[in-house]
Amino acid sequence: MTDATVSAKLLGLPGSLRSNSNSLAILRGLQDALPAGVGMDIRDLRLPLYDQDIDTPDAPAEVHAFRQAIADADGVVIVTPEYNYGMPGVLKNALDWASRPYGKSALIGKPVLVISNSPAFTGGVRAHQQVNDTLLALPAKLLGGPQVVVGGVGEKIKDGKLADEAVLKFAVGAIDRMLAAK
Ligand SMILES: Cc1cc2nc3c(=O)[nH]c(=O)nc-3n(C[C@H](O)[C@H](O)[C@H](O)COP(=O)(O)O)c2cc1C
């Protein structure tokens, strides 16, 4: 890790709500693999469906809390599964909430790393592309370079956490690059 990453607070967002989610397990494994001084809170994306009628200063409290959590983070790590060749609706919904207020989104200029995963060898790469496109619409400071795509994810999880050393090293390296470029 470089000096730039010695102290940082990350926000981890799993694009799946299920309790045994592989996406959540990847974030849990990363939590343990981060160097001293770098921490990551994981936040579940259970939010109301986006509705512009309620996207007002009186929006639901969980929406305000979600936006604030992004604002408070030095960087965001999104771990998405792939649903029907795309990103899950739960994640798109959350990103739509986070994208507003227009021009003032907490994601504008925010360093973001996207990781996709799937039990298939394709590793959710089509969902990865969709998340990237949405983040570029804001624009967030999306990490480019080698993409973190985890295929055959089921074999890489142990006791509810990502336990594959090579993948962990690759993903932590990407976090390092994200924070170094901050
Ligand atoms: C509605 C649905 C659609 C899916 N579509 C795909 C797909 O297009 N490509 C793929 O690789 N896996 C697909 N899967 C399998 C998911 O990648 C797998 O269930 C994964 O474990 C879900 O993520 P999670 O473990 O974080 O909950 C789909 C699963 C569901 C429930």
Side-chain angles (χ1 to χ4, degrees), residues 14-17 44-47 49 83 87-97:
S16 165
L17 299 178
D44 144 316
L45 295 179
R46 207 173 290 273
L47 294 166
L49 284 178
Y83 279 5
M87 88 168 95
V90 160
L91 178 56
K92 183 62 163 64
N93 183 59
L95 291 176
D96 288 340
W97 276 117

Side-chain angles (χ1 to χ4, degrees), residues 103-126:
K104 293 183 184 159
S105 161
L107 277 174
I108 294 176
K110 183 71 63 179
V112 182
L113 166 66
V114 179
I115 299 174
S116 65
N117 74 97
S118 167
F121 80 95
T122 42
V125 71
R126 291 161 292 213

Side-chain angles (χ1 to χ4, degrees), residues 37-169:
V38 182
M40 180 162 65
D41 291 334
I42 300 175
R43 196 177 177 90
D44 144 316
L45 295 179
R46 207 173 290 273
L47 294 166
L49 284 178
Y50 184 81
D51 175 350
Q52 209 171 348
D53 286 342
I54 58 168
D55 190 1
T56 67
D58 296 326
E62 59 266 46
V63 168
H64 288 297
F66 176 52
R67 288 171 173 165
Q68 193 59 50
I70 294 169
D72 291 345
D74 295 305
V76 177
V77 180
I78 296 174
V79 181
T80 186
E82 182 170 283
Y83 279 5
N84 299 308
Y85 290 7
M87 88 168 95
V90 160
L91 178 56
K92 183 62 163 64
N93 183 59
L95 291 176
D96 288 340
W97 276 117
S99 73
R100 297 279 154 155
Y102 180 72
K104 293 183 184 159
S105 161
L107 277 174
I108 294 176
K110 183 71 63 179
V112 182
L113 166 66
V114 179
I115 299 174
S116 65
N117 74 97
S118 167
F121 80 95
T122 42
V125 71
R126 291 161 292 213
H128 203 297
Q129 185 60 49
Q130 287 189 353
V131 180
N132 292 350
D133 284 347
T134 295
L135 292 168
L136 288 172
L138 299 169
K141 192 170 179 184
L142 177 64
L143 185 74
Q147 287 186 307
V148 187
V149 172
V150 188
V153 66
E155 302 136 39
K156 295 170 181 156
I157 307 277
K158 204 175 160 201
D159 299 328
K161 291 179 180 178
L162 176 64
D164 183 293
E165 286 307 320
V167 176
L168 281 168
K169 192 172 170 205

